[in-house]
Amino acid sequence: MTLTNWAGNTTFRARDVHHPTSLAELQRLVAARDRVRALGSGHSFNDVADAFGDPAGDLVVLDRMPDAVEIDRVRAQVRVPARMTYARLAPLLHEAGFALANMASLPHISVAGSVATGTHGSGVAQPGLSAAVSALDLVTADGSLLSLARGDADFPGAVVALGALGVVTTLTLDLVPAFELRQYVREGLSTDALADFEAIMSDGYSVSLFTDWRDTRVWLKRTDELTSPDWYGTTPAPAPRHPLPAMPADSCTVQLGVPGPWHERLPHFRPDFQPSSAGNELQSELLLPREHAVKALRELYAVGERIRPVLHISEVRTVAADDLWLSPFHGRDSVAVHFTWIKDPAAVRPVLELVEETLAPFDPRPHWGKLFTRWPSCPDRFRSLVGRLDPAGKFANDFTRILLRE
């Protein structure tokens, strides 16, 4: 059977795919292979997860490993298996009275894969999903188990690590008390309102702009009721909306200001529906210092006519800084500019290059799991960490080799 990613634009070229059922089996498998990579939920749009190169390696999928979730009520933390999805995890946490501080736009993705590639939600005070990790376990090149925790010297390099250090088996995440949110969609945000970007993005727990670089809507998730009838010159959506204007809103989480649990409002999409445009898409995302947001967005609006022919929709979010070495948000509060493209790589590539060129003056960093053509520099300390933990390149593929400049 041919194995592809979620969007179907990447066909995995690994020699074999393994489904270990225990930690001991995984350790033996890793120790015995020359090349091996771990595959999560397959929601990346590039080759980051594939075990390809010269020679090709094997993939391991942890979907048959033990899936126990351990909640530590005293420390307000949860230990989860790497391949668990946020859709499965969140209701368990809510039932226990806890929550994750943030979630991504869709809950269908695995915890380990999301963390390893720098996935995020939105909120001026909310860092990416990887910032919630307080500890992790991974199987290293010789099959041994390495545990790292916040405060360990190597920990900031091991969380967002692109699978280059080993196979992550469990992660421990920080929790907060369960809470409720209300979700509103506001329509007709003018480009003149960009002058109020900081105020707009700060006026909710999580705020997203959806735009085709002509018309813009706001997804506003708040802990309290929105009472302003003409919020920043917008009007309330009279019915539930999908981020893609032409699509029905059945797959989206509850809107219209109806209060509900955090995990049923933070994601845009419900876990029991196929998300977004059902895989008929490609995605890119660039992360910029937030102080450049207004100028950068205006530059994109200026070239919107050239972007729209290959664009489904763009989403603009904010992400707080973290201290993780390969994180796209390392050391800086960021604005995330996301592009959901049509599924036509040849048509998309020149437009993606235009976007990268337009944003180049603002020091963009790519989301590691999405399409990009301009590679950022690799921190020397991460390159050194890879050299220590995987000197023979057991977990390397062509993606990580480009990053590490081997």
Side-chain angles (χ1 to χ4, degrees), residues 35-118:
R35 295 283 189 274
V36 64
R37 298 280 294 176
L39 177 62
S41 52
H43 198 261
S44 291
F45 291 79
N46 56 35
D47 294 324
V48 62
D50 201 3
F52 65 96
D54 186 15
D58 292 1
L59 282 174
V60 292
V61 181
L62 306 186
D63 55 344
R64 299 175 192 171
M65 295 276 286
D67 61 355
V69 172
E70 303 172 15
I71 297 175
D72 186 329
R73 294 179 174 275
V74 175
R75 292 184 172 88
Q77 293 179 333
V78 60
R79 188 169 184 260
V80 301
R83 203 172 186 272
M84 174 163 279
T85 64
Y86 287 94
R88 289 182 57 210
L89 175 62
L92 300 177
L93 298 179
H94 185 73
E95 184 178 356
F98 289 102
L100 298 167
N102 215 347
M103 293 181 70
S105 293
L106 52 92
H108 308 66
I109 49 182
S110 68
V111 175
S114 303
V115 163
T117 54

Side-chain angles (χ1 to χ4, degrees), residues 210-242:
F210 281 95
T211 184
D212 63 358
W213 306 107
R214 178 174 53 201
D215 301 317
T216 302
R217 293 173 172 172
V218 185
W219 258 245
L220 185 63
K221 303 166 195 273
R222 296 169 55 102
T223 56
D224 59 350
E225 188 174 2
L226 180 65
T227 58
S228 174
D230 59 349
W231 186 84
Y232 291 100
T234 62
T235 58
R241 300 298 195 204
H242 191 286

